[in-house]
Amino acid sequence: MNRLKLAAIEDDTPVKITLELPAALHRDLAAYAQALAAATGGKAAEPARLIAPMLSRFIATDRAFVRGRKSV
């Protein structure tokens, strides 16, 4: 399998947010959780636990956002 963009999910104190996801996106998150578990040798995380690390990774690798943030 190709190298996934996420590493193992770290345990962190969460801030509660409620949102609705399309069913297809939830299925994709569940499949990603399974792939991540297989790649890291752990057990599959709840799909909702993937959202924060994915958003963090997305924001950290968005070059325009990072450049804009540094210029402020």
Side-chain angles (χ1 to χ4, degrees):
M1 171 177 273
N2 293 335
R3 182 176 162 96
L4 300 176
K5 288 191 174 194
L6 288 183
I9 306 297
E10 295 183 24
D11 192 18
D12 197 6
T13 304
V15 174
K16 189 154 192 107
I17 294 178
T18 303
L19 67 123
E20 292 183 21
L21 299 175
L25 179 56
H26 186 268
R27 285 190 297 273
D28 288 344
L29 285 170
Y32 197 99
Q34 290 294 329
L36 185 60
T40 60
K43 69 176 195 167
E46 288 292 318
R49 292 200 32 126
L50 297 176
I51 296 170
M54 286 179 160
L55 287 174
S56 293
R57 175 81 175 167
F58 174 81
I59 289 172
T61 59
D62 186 317
R63 292 180 181 173
F65 178 74
V66 171
R67 274 193 309 270
R69 197 170 198 187
K70 285 182 181 177
S71 67
V72 172

